[in-house]
């Protein structure tokens, strides 16, 4: 396994677009080649070394001269130290390997990823896991809006993979979700699972309003309270200790079907814990 260490050089003003920070691109490159990869800041193209100090290591130690020649993306790990909340698109489209961020990350983290894993030991900006197809995105802090959702003008959000959020998330989590699984340990805000047609969302905390709006498939479970319930859902029964995929939810849950505001035969399932 080769590890590429990126140390942030300090605060960033205008946000940086850095979709080159993926194992698929870093694999097999020497230190100076990685430093020369191009990122964008506004209208300007700049080398990655403008914003990060770069080291390349293997199991044998620091590789100053030879770099990561011969390694594959699935044998490549990128470790980022420092706050990169103003660096966008880290891990976008990654297919293999691993990224670990010791700090908070910017928008579009792991967007369209198909494999590999990303761990953020902080918070993540909006659109993390956007239209994700596979892999694991683990956010140890909280997340902003549109996590795992469809992008503007699209109806299909996340289709596969898994997103775990140890904190809370804001609005439109899993918008347009088609497949995969999103688990939030804390709370969510508005329109969680809007236009969902498949997949699973589990919120272990509470939700504000609009859960499952325009939903026609898939499953949402809220273990806390829903402050303002969507009017297009009809209660269909009660279940105890609900089993959803590989997850076991303890307690008694009311089950609802909806969203009938969308049509006469919706297939979305919404579970809400009772008591």
């Amino acid at each position: 396994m080769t590890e590429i260490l990126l140390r942030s050089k300090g605060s960033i003003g205008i946000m940086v677009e850095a979709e080159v920070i993926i194992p698929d691109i870093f694999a097999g490159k020497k230190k100076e080649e990685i430093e020369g990869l191009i990122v964008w800041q506004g209208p300007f193209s700049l080398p990655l070394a403008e914003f990060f100090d770069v080291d390349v290591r293997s199991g044998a130690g620091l590789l100053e001269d030879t770099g990561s020649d011969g390694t594959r993306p699935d044998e490549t790990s990128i470790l980022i130290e420092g706050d990169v909340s103003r660096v966008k698109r880290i891990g976008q489209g990654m297919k293999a390997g691993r990224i670990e961020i010791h700090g908070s990350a910017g928008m579009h983290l792991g967007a369209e990823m198909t494999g590999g894993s990303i761990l953020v030991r902080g918070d993540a900006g909006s659109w993390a896991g956007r239209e994700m197809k596979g892999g694991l995105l683990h956010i140890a802090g909280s997340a902003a809006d549109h996590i795992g959702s469809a992008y503007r003008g699209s109806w299909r959000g996340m289709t596969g993979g898994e997103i775990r959020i140890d904190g809370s998330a804001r609005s439109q989590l899993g918008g347009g979700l088609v497949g995969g699984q999103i688990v939030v340990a804390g709370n969510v805000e508005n329109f969680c699972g809007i236009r969902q047609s498949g997949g699973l969302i589990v919120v272990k905390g509470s939700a504000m309003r609009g859960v499952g709006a325009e939903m026609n498939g898939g499953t949402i479970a809220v273990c806390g309270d829903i402050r303002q319930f969507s009017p297009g859902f009809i209660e269909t029964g009660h279940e105890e200790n609900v089993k959803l995929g590989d997850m076991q939810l303890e307690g008694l849950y009311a089950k609802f079907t909806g969203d009938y505001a969308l049509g006469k035969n919706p297939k979305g399932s919404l579970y809400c814990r009772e008591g």
Side-chain angles (χ1 to χ4, degrees), residues 114-174:
T114 61
S117 66
I118 300 176
L119 170 61
V120 184
R121 297 188 182 277
D123 300 330
S126 297
W127 305 105
R130 167 179 60 80
E131 298 177 359
M132 181 175 169
K133 299 175 180 66
L136 170 64
L137 173 56
H138 184 180
I139 300 166
S142 292
D145 300 304
H146 306 290
I147 306 304
S149 72
Y151 200 44
R152 307 291 191 194
S154 174
W155 292 93
R156 291 173 60 84
M158 179 178 172
T159 57
E162 181 180 1
I163 298 176
R164 302 176 195 161
I165 302 172
D166 294 347
S168 295
R170 296 185 65 184
S171 295
Q172 298 197 35
L173 175 93

Side-chain angles (χ1 to χ4, degrees), residues 14-36:
I14 297 172
M15 286 191 178
V16 173
E17 307 268 348
E19 57 266 45
V20 296
I21 303 179
I22 56 172
D24 310 78
I25 291 177
F26 279 20
K29 286 185 170 55
K30 294 179 171 61
K31 178 177 183 289
E32 60 271 19
E33 291 176 312
I34 296 170
E35 291 173 331

Side-chain angles (χ1 to χ4, degrees), residues 1-268:
M1 176 69 75
T2 296
E3 181 180 272
I4 295 99
L5 175 61
L6 304 181
R7 293 189 185 91
S8 176
K9 287 187 173 181
S11 61
I12 295 172
I14 297 172
M15 286 191 178
V16 173
E17 307 268 348
E19 57 266 45
V20 296
I21 303 179
I22 56 172
D24 310 78
I25 291 177
F26 279 20
K29 286 185 170 55
K30 294 179 171 61
K31 178 177 183 289
E32 60 271 19
E33 291 176 312
I34 296 170
E35 291 173 331
L37 290 170
I38 296 300
V39 298
W40 289 84
Q41 188 177 45
F44 302 106
S45 60
L46 299 163
L48 188 66
E50 186 80 13
F51 304 98
F52 295 96
D53 292 317
V54 179
D55 283 327
V56 179
R57 294 188 173 96
S58 73
L62 191 63
L63 297 175
E64 285 287 353
D65 299 321
T66 59
S68 54
D69 285 347
T71 58
R72 304 190 308 263
D74 63 343
E75 297 175 333
T76 302
S77 177
I78 301 173
L79 177 62
I80 302 173
E81 293 184 350
D83 179 10
V84 287
S85 57
R86 297 190 67 76
V87 180
K88 298 161 64 175
R89 304 185 189 279
I90 294 172
Q92 178 169 310
M94 70 181 283
K95 299 178 178 65
R98 180 175 180 271
I99 297 175
E100 182 173 338
I101 302 172
H102 286 237
S104 293
M107 298 169 65
H108 300 282
L109 174 75
E112 301 174 0
M113 68 185 290
T114 61
S117 66
I118 300 176
L119 170 61
V120 184
R121 297 188 182 277
D123 300 330
S126 297
W127 305 105
R130 167 179 60 80
E131 298 177 359
M132 181 175 169
K133 299 175 180 66
L136 170 64
L137 173 56
H138 184 180
I139 300 166
S142 292
D145 300 304
H146 306 290
I147 306 304
S149 72
Y151 200 44
R152 307 291 191 194
S154 174
W155 292 93
R156 291 173 60 84
M158 179 178 172
T159 57
E162 181 180 1
I163 298 176
R164 302 176 195 161
I165 302 172
D166 294 347
S168 295
R170 296 185 65 184
S171 295
Q172 298 197 35
L173 175 93
L177 187 73
V178 177
Q181 177 173 293
I182 303 175
V183 180
V184 182
N187 304 319
V188 297
E189 294 185 6
N190 306 305
F191 298 103
C192 170
I194 186 171
R195 295 186 302 275
Q196 181 177 345
S197 61
L200 171 65
I201 298 175
V202 176
V203 179
K204 295 184 178 180
S206 297
M208 292 184 68
R209 65 186 180 99
V211 175
E214 299 184 5
M215 178 184 190
N216 64 6
T219 303
I220 302 174
V222 179
C223 304
D225 299 323
I226 298 176
R227 186 178 300 177
Q228 186 176 330
F229 211 84
S230 297
F233 283 80
I234 294 175
E235 186 174 331
T236 57
H238 301 265
E239 294 184 22
E240 191 164 5
N241 300 332
V242 178
K243 178 77 170 176
L244 298 175
D246 58 355
M247 297 191 64
Q248 181 81 50
L249 304 180
E250 302 296 330
L252 182 64
Y253 285 78
K255 183 179 180 181
F256 299 82
T257 299
D259 183 357
Y260 281 91
L262 190 65
K264 295 181 179 180
N265 189 32
K267 298 179 180 179

